[in-house]
Amino acid sequence: MSDSYQFFAQVNKAFDKAASYTNLDRGLLAQMRICNDVLHITFPLEKDDGSIEVIEGWRVEHSHHKLPTKGGIRYAMTVNEDETMALAALMTYKCAVVDVPFGGAKGGIRIDKKKYSETEIERITRRYTFELYKKNFIGPGLDVPAPDYGTGEKEMAWILDTFRQISTDINAEGCVTGKPISHGGIRGRKEATGRGVYFGVREACNHVEDMKELGLEPGLEGKTFVIQGLGNVGYHAAKNMIEGGAKLIGIAELEGSIWSEEGIDLDNLVQYRKEAGTILGFEGTKELETRDKALELDCDILIPAALENQLNEKNASRIKAKIIGEAANGPTTSEAHEILKNRGTLIIPDNYLNAGGVTVSYFEWLKNLSHVRFGRMGKRFEETSYRKILSVIENISDRRFTDKELEYLAQGAGEGELVDSGLEETMIQAYNEINELRKKHNVDLRTAAFISSIEKVGLIYESMGIFP
Ligand code: GLU
């Protein structure tokens, strides 16, 4: 990605298009689209060999209409101010679409993670957290980071541990989400973005009329799909799609693209990649001529789950998928979006489709603030109640339940089940909201998702009397 790529401008272009379908005040819209706070920091890292290097990072809080602000932290060489601002803005709109009560934020450190040892990454993460704290850019009621491209549970645990050293806040665990379960994390967070992608794509495929327009049968069963990026989001999206009956026929990764008409065995491929260091050469697959060629395969669904700007004016006219599920943030440029839309492609946009991560982050944050695991109070009570009902049924009928049936029918909901149910409900509800708006205004789903969030955020500003 070149530095001249204007990601924030692209987001605002989509915002402006959607804003014209609302009746909101122009000044209020201007306030909504800008970034409220942009923090640029530099700090020294003492490397393992004793040398000193300057590290550059950002944290952007896009909107304070709800607090805390929320969004991941990215470690990548593509990180810059424009990208962080764009991603922070997308977080605001994404949270609003799925009714997650946070303002949007995003952080990033411009590093190539491969070039640092684990202890160096730990020092970078802890120092970054300290800088955020000093500048009031982190806290359970202020701004709550999470994983993003290049970060995961380990970094989140370091962030929490650092925050705890310097803060006595009783809700300290809620200063960051995406933590390991042992550090106050929640079951299902790691899988959440990918699982949300699956729920969203499945919901789109369940709309009979919409599928008919695309010339497709309703339902996910038997649909072919291609994925770009086998990171946490891509892997879990693909895994869930396969379990839901779809067939994985192509993968694009950093090292190249592979294809198999018969379908790719995902878990064996991941194991193979661990050993061989590449997806290329995996049994039963063919290597395609260029790195991103799998994006152009003839398939029903294409899921870009890597970085932004992957579907652009250069390759858009060669994309054959009928449905594009944007698991990554900003994978389609506005030029590519127009080309694809004109061809009749259904684009399920990032500002809805990858909201599963932040949705479960919200559940994690609620768990941290309430200091109790979901299901802890009710699970056994529910089970006992179901068993009582089943025994009444046995008493008034000849029916005797087997132990297996009893176990299945008298199951109380634990944390994992509740998180999954909350995520599924959120994704289905939001899809139907934006699909209604799409039809009402005769726009695409991206514009519909923006209209939905602009109206929701606008309502909050208006009810506040705008500015205190
Ligand atoms: N980084 C993820 C996203 O872009 C998750 C953010 C969060 O959980 O706060 O949506």
Side-chain angles (χ1 to χ4, degrees):
M1 191 186 70
S2 80
D3 270 340
S4 62
Y5 173 63
Q6 301 279 304
F7 191 10
F8 188 47
Q10 294 260 354
V11 173
N12 283 335
K13 216 162 146 180
F15 176 96
D16 290 342
K17 190 168 153 199
S20 67
Y21 290 90
T22 70
N23 295 320
L24 292 164
D25 177 84
R26 285 171 70 92
L28 196 150
L29 287 167
Q31 157 62 26
M32 211 187 285
R33 76 208 273 286
I34 44 107
C35 289
N36 288 167
D37 280 316
V38 181
L39 174 70
H40 176 214
I41 43 183
T42 51
F43 53 85
L45 163 75
E46 184 176 344
K47 298 199 71 177
D48 292 344
D49 66 7
S51 63
I52 307 266
E53 194 181 305
V54 176
I55 302 290
E56 193 177 13
W58 287 266
R59 182 74 184 171
V60 174
E61 292 174 359
H62 171 259
S63 174
H64 293 144
H65 72 286
K66 290 245 176 210
L67 285 173
T69 49
K70 189 87 189 75
I73 293 177
R74 177 174 285 210
Y75 289 180
M77 282 308 287
T78 50
V79 169
N80 58 37
E81 196 157 300
D82 175 69
E83 184 196 68
T84 316
M85 286 166 73
L87 293 169
L90 277 176
M91 285 307 301
T92 295
Y93 309 130
K94 187 159 49 179
C95 287
V97 168
V98 289
D99 290 324
V100 164
F102 297 137
K106 202 77 168 197
I109 302 183
R110 191 184 176 89
I111 48 167
D112 179 355
K113 226 181 153 184
K114 290 191 300 294
K115 297 204 175 126
Y116 300 87
S117 69
E118 184 165 303
T119 50
E120 287 167 347
I121 294 289
E122 177 175 350
R123 283 202 291 281
I124 291 172
T125 307
R126 288 183 181 278
R127 175 66 188 251
Y128 176 72
T129 309
F130 182 74
E131 295 288 332
L132 293 183
Y133 181 80
K134 215 169 60 178
K135 280 137 191 162
N136 262 340
F137 271 75
I138 187 169
L142 275 180
D143 188 355
V144 181
D148 199 85
Y149 190 88
T151 59
E153 290 187 341
K154 209 184 276 173
E155 285 77 15
M156 303 307 118
W158 289 327
I159 291 175
L160 171 60
D161 188 56
T162 310
F163 186 83
R164 274 222 192 93
Q165 315 286 323
I166 41 187
S167 163
T168 53
D169 192 330
I170 191 170
N171 294 317
E173 264 188 356
C175 78
V176 63
T177 60
K179 304 178 290 290
I181 293 175
S182 55
H183 289 66
I186 197 165
R187 283 164 187 80
R189 174 62 185 87
K190 203 153 81 193
E191 303 81 3
T193 313
R195 189 142 174 83
V197 168
Y198 155 70
F199 284 139
V201 173
R202 187 192 68 184
E203 188 56 20
C205 291
N206 282 345
H207 283 252
V208 182
E209 285 307 312
D210 297 349
M211 287 303 107
K212 213 176 184 178
E213 270 175 37
L214 296 173
L216 293 173
E217 291 296 317
L220 201 55
E221 189 72 41
K223 292 214 166 32
T224 55
F225 78 102
V226 168
I227 197 127
Q228 182 196 34
L230 278 184
N232 180 44
V233 176
Y235 169 74
H236 285 108
K239 195 169 168 59
N240 277 281
M241 292 281 290
I242 294 167
E243 282 165 10
K247 184 158 101 176
L248 174 62
I249 61 157
I251 301 175
E253 250 298 347
L254 289 170
E255 59 268 23
S257 275
I258 57 170
W259 169 70
S260 163
E261 210 170 353
E262 282 73 49
I264 301 169
D265 182 331
L266 181 67
D267 283 323
N268 276 340
L269 170 81
V270 168
Q271 190 53 37
Y272 170 85
R273 191 179 188 216
K274 249 185 214 148
E275 286 153 19
T278 173
I279 59 168
L280 305 178
F282 180 60
E283 209 188 333
T285 64
K286 289 197 190 76
E287 180 180 339
L288 298 169
E289 30 321 349
T290 55
R291 197 186 76 174
D292 296 325
K293 200 70 185 165
L295 297 174
E296 299 166 24
L297 284 169
D298 198 352
C299 62
D300 297 319
I301 306 164
L302 169 63
I303 303 187
L307 287 169
E308 57 266 21
N309 193 21
Q310 299 302 302
L311 310 182
N312 46 49
E313 71 261 46
K314 285 195 210 105
N315 61 7
S317 58
R318 294 194 300 273
I319 307 284
K320 298 178 198 72
K322 298 202 172 71
I323 301 173
I324 292 176
E326 293 186 337
N329 287 309
T332 314
T333 64
S334 53
E335 293 79 12
H337 176 101
E338 284 311 307
I339 298 171
L340 291 161
K341 190 183 139 187
N342 291 339
R343 181 134 36 82
T345 314
L346 178 71
I347 302 175
I348 314 177
D350 54 355
N351 54 341
Y352 154 71
L353 193 65
N354 69 34
V358 76
T359 300
V360 177
S361 274
Y362 169 45
F363 302 155
E364 180 176 333
W365 180 76
L366 290 175
K367 172 187 183 178
N368 298 148
L369 296 197
S370 59
H371 300 259
V372 65
R373 183 182 76 237
F374 288 111
R376 177 165 176 182
M377 310 292 280
K379 186 174 193 293
R380 195 153 295 269
F381 183 81
E382 271 174 38
E383 278 174 12
T384 312
S385 304
Y386 294 144
R387 278 183 188 272
K388 283 181 192 158
I389 296 168
L390 293 171
S391 94
V392 170
I393 295 173
E394 282 189 330
N395 286 342
I396 59 169
S397 71
D398 289 338
R399 185 75 160 86
R400 292 289 168 272
F401 295 106
T402 63
D403 286 348
K404 227 174 157 176
E405 282 174 328
L406 279 176
E407 201 185 308
Y408 173 68
L409 294 169
Q411 197 193 30
E415 182 174 87
E417 290 84 28
L418 290 167
V419 163
D420 202 49
S421 148
L423 175 61
E424 185 172 9
E425 168 63 17
T426 303
M427 295 308 292
I428 292 177
Q429 164 87 18
Y431 186 82
N432 286 294
E433 263 176 44
I434 61 172
N435 204 29
E436 293 279 302
L437 285 169
R438 169 171 85 107
K439 289 178 181 165
K440 179 176 161 196
H441 295 292
N442 193 22
V443 291
D444 52 68
L445 274 178
R446 189 186 316 282
T447 307
F450 267 102
I451 295 174
S452 168
S453 33
I454 292 169
E455 281 177 344
K456 288 177 186 172
V457 177
L459 215 63
I460 294 163
Y461 271 121
E462 282 179 344
S463 64
M464 288 194 298
I466 308 191
F467 310 111

